[in-house]
């Protein structure tokens, strides 16, 4: 059984977060430490720790991450200039919170994909 993270508490509204979207499958909220002027995390409501744990039955929720990313990018006004969607996995990927999340980052030129 995977261990819950702080993101489960955000989904259940047990701790405060700037939630910008929620439905039966996903929740989106602003990153507490934004790396650009727009930085939103979009997560499945179901606890899936990493991409390595994804199962076929998760496809609907994980597909929803993209449709919500598109909607939020438009709402943020960053869709035309562009943005980046990032999913980190495990230590080498830089994952800190073990509840799958898609970073929606934009609002300025983001530079090369990998920075040292
Ligand atoms: P990762 O490195 O796992 O891909 O990204 C985790 C992200 O979650 C980081 O960008 C971090 O700032 C964000 N984060 C960690 N704890 C919290 C929290 O309690 N609230 C919010 N809103 N964001 C968090």
């Amino acid at each position: 059984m995977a261990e819950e993270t702080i993101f489960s508490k955000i989904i259940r509204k047990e701790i405060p977060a700037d939630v910008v979207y929620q439905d039966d499958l996903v929740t989106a909220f602003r990153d507490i430490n934004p790396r650009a002027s727009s930085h939103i995390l979009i997560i499945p409501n179901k606890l899936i720790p990493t991409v390595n744990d994804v199962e076929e039955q998760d496809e609907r929720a994980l597909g929803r991450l993209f449709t919500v990313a598109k909607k939020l990018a438009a709402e943020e006004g960053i869709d035309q200039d562009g943005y980046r969607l990032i999913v980190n996995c495990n230590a080498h990927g830089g994952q800190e919170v073990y509840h799958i999340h898609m970073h929606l980052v934009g609002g300025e030129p983001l530079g090369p994909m990998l920075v040292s």
Side-chain angles (χ1 to χ4, degrees), residues 11-80:
I11 292 165
R12 295 195 298 261
K13 310 269 173 67
E14 290 170 7
I15 62 162
D18 188 354
V19 175
V20 293
Y21 181 87
Q22 187 165 51
D23 65 21
D24 58 323
L25 291 177
V26 307
T27 299
F29 50 94
R30 293 193 190 278
D31 197 292
I32 204 166
N33 178 25
R35 288 7 167 260
S37 50
S38 279
H39 188 170
I40 293 171
L41 302 173
I42 313 167
I43 71 177
N45 294 338
K46 176 188 167 188
L47 169 52
I48 305 167
T50 78
V51 174
N52 292 336
D53 303 300
V54 166
E55 295 173 351
E56 213 170 301
Q57 69 209 38
D58 301 323
E59 285 176 358
R60 198 157 156 263
L62 297 177
R64 183 73 59 86
L65 299 182
F66 278 90
T67 49
V68 171
K70 170 193 162 178
K71 170 186 152 58
L72 294 175
E75 285 177 13
E76 293 285 297
I78 61 174
D79 53 330
Q80 295 309 308

Side-chain angles (χ1 to χ4, degrees), residues 6-7 10 29-33 35 39 41 88 94-97 101 103:
I6 198 148
F7 287 180
I10 289 175
F29 50 94
R30 293 193 190 278
D31 197 292
I32 204 166
N33 178 25
R35 288 7 167 260
H39 188 170
L41 302 173
N88 296 322
Q95 184 172 7
E96 291 170 5
V97 179
H101 46 282
H103 296 256

